[in-house]
């Protein structure tokens, strides 16, 4: 369906305003068969795909093609991809999303990670969807254990917020949680230059803001 538009002063009717169509779903990304689109961001898109070798579904985060070379978005996206790529196979904790593979595929590199069916905890920040106190305590305890594990690996996440905490659901209840998105991680054992002053302002620790 198109939206009609009134003619301009010249009497020539302008072109109708067409609805924005979703980007075409790729059939494959590398060796992975794409099944659905899970999300879109300004610099990356996330797909549900199937790993025929593992016989299991995976999530693929792929940088968007067409980011202007030398732009701020391209600069930070490259750093964030490299930070996560360096952690492939390194994090083994039940409350941390596993990173299986990183492929530097020209202008559209991508990460292959554990697929967690469910939603992020951002959904439960709404007044009418708040979790029970018992569930909140359990989620906080599991996140604290996962972050302690990361700390012992020399890693500081730096962007812990509801949108980066995946809730594992069963019968419409939150039964587990997994931390994801390590693009902003500070790797204390790395010799490479890292990005500073990253994270989400509303969730930063006081010493991070300082």
């Amino acid at each position: 369906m198109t939206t009609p538009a009134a003619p301009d002063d010249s009497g020539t009717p302008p072109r109708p305003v067409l609805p924005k169509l979703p980007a075409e779903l790729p059939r494959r990304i590398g060796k992975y068969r794409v099944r659905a689109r899970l999300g879109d961001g300004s610099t990356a898109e996330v797909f549900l795909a199937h790993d025929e070798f593992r016989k299991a579904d995976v999530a693929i985060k792929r940088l968007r093609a067409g980011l202007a070379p030398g732009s701020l978005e391209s600069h930070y996206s490259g750093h964030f991809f490299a930070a996560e790529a360096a952690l492939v196979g390194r994090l083994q904790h039940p409350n941390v999303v596993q990173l299986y593979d990183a492929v530097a595929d020209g202008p559209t590199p991508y990460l292959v990670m554990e697929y967690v069916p469910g939603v992020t905890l951002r959904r439960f920040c709404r007044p009418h969807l708040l979790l029970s106190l018992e569930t909140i305590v359990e989620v906080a305890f599991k996140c604290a254990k996962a972050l302690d594990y990361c700390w012992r690996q020399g890693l500081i996440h730096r962007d812990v917020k509801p949108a980066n905490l995946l809730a594992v659901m069963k019968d419409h209840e939150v039964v587990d949680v997994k931390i994801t998105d390590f693009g902003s991680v500070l790797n204390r054992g790395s010799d490479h230059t890292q990005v500073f002053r990253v994270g989400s302002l509303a969730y930063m620790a006081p010493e991070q803001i300082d």
Side-chain angles (χ1 to χ4, degrees):
M1 181 177 179
T2 60
T3 302
D8 59 24
D9 294 338
S10 66
T12 303
R15 294 181 179 179
V17 179
L18 298 177
K20 186 177 180 181
L21 297 176
E24 184 178 353
L25 192 69
R27 294 185 62 185
R28 302 186 75 88
I29 297 178
K31 63 181 181 181
Y32 304 96
R33 177 168 52 86
V34 176
R35 298 183 57 189
R37 186 184 302 274
L38 296 176
D40 285 290
S42 58
T43 60
E45 44 195 349
V46 183
F47 300 93
L48 171 63
H50 187 73
D51 185 342
E52 295 172 359
F53 178 77
R54 287 190 175 89
K55 306 297 182 186
D57 287 340
V58 295
I60 296 181
K61 180 165 69 173
R62 185 177 71 174
L63 295 189
R64 285 191 177 280
L67 293 178
S71 67
L72 194 62
E73 292 85 357
S74 176
H75 171 75
Y76 280 109
S77 295
H79 275 287
F80 293 155
F81 173 82
E84 286 193 282
L87 302 179
V88 167
R90 179 173 170 182
L91 300 177
Q92 303 291 330
H93 190 278
N95 298 113
V96 174
V97 171
Q98 292 189 52
L99 297 172
Y100 297 139
D101 196 8
V103 181
D105 188 17
T108 55
Y110 59 89
L111 292 161
V112 183
M113 61 192 74
E114 175 186 4
Y115 170 60
V116 181
V119 296
T120 72
L121 286 186
R122 184 177 180 181
R123 174 180 178 181
F124 301 103
C125 293
R126 303 169 187 173
H128 63 291
L129 290 175
L130 297 179
L131 299 172
S132 67
L133 179 59
E134 180 182 13
T135 302
I136 292 171
V137 171
E138 182 180 357
V139 165
F141 177 72
K142 289 180 175 179
C143 288
K145 289 186 67 175
L147 291 171
D148 176 67
Y149 165 81
C150 293
W151 169 263
R152 286 185 277 110
Q153 307 301 310
L155 307 171
I156 304 174
H157 188 287
R158 296 197 297 179
D159 199 18
V160 179
K161 59 184 178 182
N164 286 337
L165 302 176
L166 298 177
V168 181
M169 309 291 293
K170 183 178 181 181
D171 298 328
H172 306 290
E173 299 287 337
V174 177
V175 297
D176 207 356
V177 65
K178 289 178 179 281
I179 299 176
T180 188
D181 198 347
F182 281 78
S184 299
V185 71
L186 176 65
N187 189 339
R188 293 180 294 146
S190 175
D191 294 329
H192 296 283
T193 302
Q194 300 182 70
V195 178
F196 287 87
R197 297 190 181 93
V198 297
S200 301
L201 187 60
Y203 297 96
M204 282 183 179
E207 60 270 25
Q208 190 175 351
I209 297 176
D210 290 342

